[in-house]
Amino acid sequence: MSIIIPVFLIGVSVCWYLVRALDLLRLPSPSRLQMLLGFIFIWWGVSTLKDIVIYLPVTDTAVVLDHVFYIDGCGAVTFALFLMELTSPGWIRLRRVLLLSAPFLLFLLLHFLSDSSLLHKVFTVFFVTFAWLAVFYAVYKSRKYRKAIQETYSNLDDVDISWIWKIIAAFIVCQHVWWAVSDKLDVLADSFYYVSSLVCWCLVMRGVNRMRALRLPDYPGYDGKQALAEPKTAETLNTRKRTSVLHGRLEKLMEDEELYTNPDLTLSNLVERLGTNRTYLSEYISTELGTTFYDYVNRLRIERKVIPMLLNGNNNYSLEYIAEQAGFKSLSTFRRAFKKLTGHLPSEYVRLNSGS
């Protein structure tokens, strides 16, 4: 295969990374993820541009590929940083970026000072271990993330990160291809690597641009800390005592003002209205009501709004209209919540209960 194809793909990739980086960093109010992604794209643009040297006719291919191997290995840091900030909003700090990057920079320095086959093997083991640890970390933290947002938000459409699994799978394939061919010049494999990397980061950007920027103090997992944590006094250690004062007040407020129809309702909104704190209210919903904030609000939306509208004898409403009136932002979320609560899809439920 002609080297024209990989050279062309290098040019396309560099342009895409740098243009997207400018787009993200020039946003009026970029989120933390968007800013991080902008800097990551700058790295990938510059890193991809260096590969053009491999295809120059005067290049000592074996030597250059050896240098490229260590430089490209540093790209694993960008993937790890993205996963950590995505699953733990607010995690990224300059000190942490430097700590994660330090081992890779050390390997790069040692390579240029005194390269050896042993160093190459050690770096390979380190790279693979680092990449898989980043994946395992993301798996662990994504579960905590989902639990945290269910305890905080009534609408998960633009804060859910379930799409991350497709990204991780794609990156695993991409990185293993890079690892398999990094020590030799293979035009076909290189072309696949450039295309797959570009597709992966396109999917990442699509997911990030669809996400709402979380208000960090509202997110219980922010920086590994419990938001607005209460001091451990005798009163705060008595869960039953500190949540009993909310008994009935939350239910009455939700019923009287139909707050559940607000698609952007958050736990913090209720904290302010009830004059309490998020720890008390979160524990009340969890221990007394036996559910999460997300499921509690969705249950009210379905029981108080959706079902009466569905079973109305003169119902000429579309499902989209019913979902919107109940406080759902998307029809897919509405259907999932409805089936989770009733065990049926809306059309099945109407058919089974239309005669009652």
Side-chain angles (χ1 to χ4, degrees), residues 18 26 30 33-34 45 75 78 80 84 88 94 101 124 133 136 179 191 221 249 273 282-283 287-288 309 324 335 354:
L18 296 182
R26 291 170 59 187
L33 266 177
Q34 288 173 326
T78 63
M84 290 174 178
S88 301
L94 178 59
S101 305
T124 300
L133 284 176
F136 291 145
W179 178 48
S191 299
R249 292 177 57 203
R273 295 296 304 274
S282 181
E283 288 183 351
T287 59
E288 299 295 322
M309 292 181 74
E324 181 181 353
R335 285 197 171 106
S354 58

Side-chain angles (χ1 to χ4, degrees), residues 41-318:
F41 284 164
I42 291 175
W43 159 264
W44 275 80
V46 174
S47 179
T48 304
L49 180 61
K50 77 176 182 332
D51 291 352
I52 201 72
V53 178
I54 299 172
Y55 298 97
L56 295 179
V58 296
T59 297
D60 186 338
T61 305
V63 174
V64 171
L65 283 175
D66 203 28
H67 295 334
V68 167
F69 174 74
Y70 284 89
I71 297 173
D72 283 349
C74 297
V77 176
T78 63
F79 184 48
L81 290 174
F82 169 74
L83 289 179
M84 290 174 178
E85 182 62 27
L86 180 66
T87 56
S88 301
W91 189 92
I92 295 296
R93 296 286 188 275
L94 178 59
R95 178 175 60 86
R96 289 171 175 169
V97 173
L98 294 176
L99 285 174
L100 278 181
S101 305
F104 289 90
L105 296 177
L106 178 60
F107 273 111
L108 188 61
L109 178 62
L110 291 175
H111 163 69
F112 283 109
L113 292 178
S114 177
D115 190 25
S116 68
S117 59
L118 177 60
L119 182 66
H120 192 284
K121 292 176 182 177
V122 173
F123 180 69
T124 300
V125 171
F126 173 77
F127 170 83
V128 173
T129 303
F130 179 91
W132 278 106
L133 284 176
V135 170
F136 291 145
Y137 176 90
V139 172
Y140 169 71
K141 294 298 291 186
S142 64
R143 292 176 180 174
K144 297 189 69 175
Y145 173 94
R146 183 163 183 80
K147 183 176 184 294
I149 60 175
Q150 286 181 334
E151 293 174 350
T152 306
Y153 297 96
S154 66
N155 168 40
L156 307 185
D157 289 348
D158 47 9
V159 294
D160 184 55
I161 59 171
S162 58
W163 50 271
I164 191 179
W165 305 115
K166 297 178 182 178
I167 304 299
I168 288 176
F171 267 113
I172 288 175
V173 172
C174 178
Q175 291 304 307
H176 276 73
V177 169
W178 166 81
W179 178 48
V181 302
S182 57
D183 60 345
K184 58 182 178 294
L185 183 61
D186 188 317
V187 173
L188 181 61
D190 286 349
S191 299
F192 175 78
Y193 173 70
Y194 294 131
V195 172
S196 59
S197 296
L198 202 58
V199 169
C200 288
W201 286 115
C202 281
L203 293 174
V204 167
M205 184 169 181
R206 183 168 177 248
V208 168
N209 284 341
R210 288 182 172 183
M211 287 189 66
R212 180 197 340 169
L214 294 181
R215 295 178 56 199
L216 297 182
D218 284 347
Y219 174 61
Y222 167 53
D223 208 17
K225 302 175 183 178
Q226 177 74 17
L228 301 179
E230 296 300 312
K232 293 184 178 180
T233 63
E235 179 184 1
T236 59
L237 292 175
N238 188 335
T239 302
R240 182 71 63 178
K241 179 178 179 180
R242 69 188 190 182
T243 59
S244 61
V245 296
L246 292 171
H247 185 70
R249 292 177 57 203
L250 171 64
E251 293 85 341
K252 186 175 188 305
L253 177 67
M254 295 290 280
E255 294 283 355
D256 291 350
E257 301 189 23
E258 295 188 341
L259 296 180
Y260 49 84
T261 60
N262 175 7
D264 295 317
L265 183 68
T266 68
L267 190 71
S268 293
N269 298 146
L270 299 183
V271 166
E272 184 177 349
R273 295 296 304 274
L274 293 168
T276 183
N277 61 63
R278 68 163 296 122
T279 303
Y280 286 9
L281 183 55
S282 181
E283 288 183 351
Y284 175 75
I285 295 173
S286 176
T287 59
E288 299 295 322
L289 303 183
T291 186
T292 64
F293 172 71
Y294 176 73
D295 287 335
Y296 170 64
V297 174
N298 280 345
R299 177 170 61 81
L300 290 178
R301 288 169 174 168
I302 293 169
E303 291 180 348
R304 301 294 185 266
K305 274 290 184 182
V306 174
I307 290 179
M309 292 181 74
L310 283 176
L311 299 183
N312 185 338
N314 298 318
N315 181 12
N316 293 317
Y317 303 127
S318 66

